[in-house]
PDB file of all heavy atoms in Angstrom:
ATOM      1  N   GLU A  76      10.476   4.366   4.329  1.00  0.00           N
ATOM      2  CA  GLU A  76       9.505   3.792   3.452  1.00  0.00           C
ATOM      3  C   GLU A  76      10.091   3.688   2.073  1.00  0.00           C
ATOM      4  O   GLU A  76       9.378   3.125   1.225  1.00  0.00           O
ATOM      5  CB  GLU A  76       8.378   4.648   3.415  1.00  0.00           C
ATOM      6  CG  GLU A  76       7.631   4.546   4.753  1.00  0.00           C
ATOM      7  CD  GLU A  76       6.473   5.645   4.840  1.00  0.00           C
ATOM      8  OE1 GLU A  76       5.890   5.834   3.745  1.00  0.00           O
ATOM      9  OE2 GLU A  76       6.280   6.261   6.042  1.00  0.00           O
ATOM     10  N   GLY A  77      11.362   4.097   1.736  1.00  0.00           N
ATOM     11  CA  GLY A  77      11.966   3.980   0.512  1.00  0.00           C
ATOM     12  C   GLY A  77      11.493   5.017  -0.603  1.00  0.00           C
ATOM     13  O   GLY A  77      11.925   4.925  -1.698  1.00  0.00           O
ATOM     14  N   ILE A  78      10.820   5.978  -0.052  1.00  0.00           N
ATOM     15  CA  ILE A  78      10.455   7.107  -0.900  1.00  0.00           C
ATOM     16  C   ILE A  78      11.690   7.925  -1.225  1.00  0.00           C
ATOM     17  O   ILE A  78      11.888   8.355  -2.395  1.00  0.00           O
ATOM     18  CB  ILE A  78       9.261   7.896  -0.335  1.00  0.00           C
ATOM     19  CG1 ILE A  78       8.025   7.084  -0.262  1.00  0.00           C
ATOM     20  CG2 ILE A  78       9.067   9.260  -1.186  1.00  0.00           C
ATOM     21  CD1 ILE A  78       6.931   7.758   0.516  1.00  0.00           C
ATOM     22  N   ILE A  79      12.559   8.159  -0.152  1.00  0.00           N
ATOM     23  CA  ILE A  79      13.796   8.711  -0.403  1.00  0.00           C
ATOM     24  C   ILE A  79      14.802   7.530  -0.525  1.00  0.00           C
ATOM     25  O   ILE A  79      14.944   6.955   0.490  1.00  0.00           O
ATOM     26  CB  ILE A  79      14.229   9.701   0.598  1.00  0.00           C
ATOM     27  CG1 ILE A  79      13.268  10.892   0.693  1.00  0.00           C
ATOM     28  CG2 ILE A  79      15.631  10.083   0.530  1.00  0.00           C
ATOM     29  CD1 ILE A  79      13.542  11.819   1.850  1.00  0.00           C
ATOM     30  N   LYS A  80      15.420   7.316  -1.766  1.00  0.00           N
ATOM     31  CA  LYS A  80      16.202   6.104  -1.866  1.00  0.00           C
ATOM     32  C   LYS A  80      17.602   6.312  -1.422  1.00  0.00           C
ATOM     33  O   LYS A  80      18.414   5.354  -1.099  1.00  0.00           O
ATOM     34  CB  LYS A  80      16.139   5.629  -3.335  1.00  0.00           C
ATOM     35  CG  LYS A  80      14.868   5.247  -3.807  1.00  0.00           C
ATOM     36  CD  LYS A  80      14.833   4.579  -5.157  1.00  0.00           C
ATOM     37  CE  LYS A  80      15.601   5.178  -6.240  1.00  0.00           C
ATOM     38  NZ  LYS A  80      15.540   4.548  -7.546  1.00  0.00           N
ATOM     39  N   GLY A  81      18.070   7.544  -1.342  1.00  0.00           N
ATOM     40  CA  GLY A  81      19.411   7.721  -0.947  1.00  0.00           C
ATOM     41  C   GLY A  81      19.870   9.198  -1.320  1.00  0.00           C
ATOM     42  O   GLY A  81      19.086   9.946  -1.789  1.00  0.00           O
ATOM     43  N   TYR A  82      21.073   9.560  -1.068  1.00  0.00           N
ATOM     44  CA  TYR A  82      21.681  10.806  -1.377  1.00  0.00           C
ATOM     45  C   TYR A  82      22.944  10.539  -2.069  1.00  0.00           C
ATOM     46  O   TYR A  82      23.706   9.591  -1.736  1.00  0.00           O
ATOM     47  CB  TYR A  82      21.831  11.678  -0.138  1.00  0.00           C
ATOM     48  CG  TYR A  82      20.728  11.856   0.694  1.00  0.00           C
ATOM     49  CD1 TYR A  82      20.242  10.832   1.758  1.00  0.00           C
ATOM     50  CD2 TYR A  82      19.774  12.957   0.585  1.00  0.00           C
ATOM     51  CE1 TYR A  82      19.129  10.991   2.424  1.00  0.00           C
ATOM     52  CE2 TYR A  82      18.700  13.124   1.250  1.00  0.00           C
ATOM     53  CZ  TYR A  82      18.328  12.152   2.219  1.00  0.00           C
ATOM     54  OH  TYR A  82      17.146  12.252   2.980  1.00  0.00           O
ATOM     55  N   ARG A  83      23.273  11.288  -3.095  1.00  0.00           N
ATOM     56  CA  ARG A  83      24.587  11.172  -3.766  1.00  0.00           C
ATOM     57  C   ARG A  83      24.964  12.559  -4.533  1.00  0.00           C
ATOM     58  O   ARG A  83      24.143  13.399  -4.742  1.00  0.00           O
ATOM     59  CB  ARG A  83      24.510  10.101  -4.740  1.00  0.00           C
ATOM     60  CG  ARG A  83      23.576  10.427  -5.909  1.00  0.00           C
ATOM     61  CD  ARG A  83      23.642   9.331  -7.013  1.00  0.00           C
ATOM     62  NE  ARG A  83      22.729   8.233  -6.555  1.00  0.00           N
ATOM     63  CZ  ARG A  83      22.433   7.221  -7.288  1.00  0.00           C
ATOM     64  NH1 ARG A  83      22.841   7.171  -8.617  1.00  0.00           N
ATOM     65  NH2 ARG A  83      21.710   6.255  -6.971  1.00  0.00           N
ATOM     66  N   ALA A  84      26.234  12.557  -4.856  1.00  0.00           N
ATOM     67  CA  ALA A  84      26.795  13.656  -5.501  1.00  0.00           C
ATOM     68  C   ALA A  84      26.562  13.426  -6.945  1.00  0.00           C
ATOM     69  O   ALA A  84      26.788  12.326  -7.503  1.00  0.00           O
ATOM     70  CB  ALA A  84      28.293  13.891  -5.200  1.00  0.00           C
ATOM     71  N   LEU A  85      26.166  14.438  -7.826  1.00  0.00           N
ATOM     72  CA  LEU A  85      26.028  14.180  -9.252  1.00  0.00           C
ATOM     73  C   LEU A  85      27.312  14.740  -9.853  1.00  0.00           C
ATOM     74  O   LEU A  85      27.749  15.967  -9.729  1.00  0.00           O
ATOM     75  CB  LEU A  85      24.836  15.024  -9.777  1.00  0.00           C
ATOM     76  CG  LEU A  85      23.525  14.641  -9.290  1.00  0.00           C
ATOM     77  CD1 LEU A  85      22.386  15.679  -9.705  1.00  0.00           C
ATOM     78  CD2 LEU A  85      23.119  13.274  -9.614  1.00  0.00           C
TER      79      LEU A  85
END
Side-chain angles (χ1 to χ4, degrees):
E76 293 173 37
I78 294 168
I79 297 174
K80 297 190 315 183
Y82 304 88
R83 66 175 82 169
L85 299 174

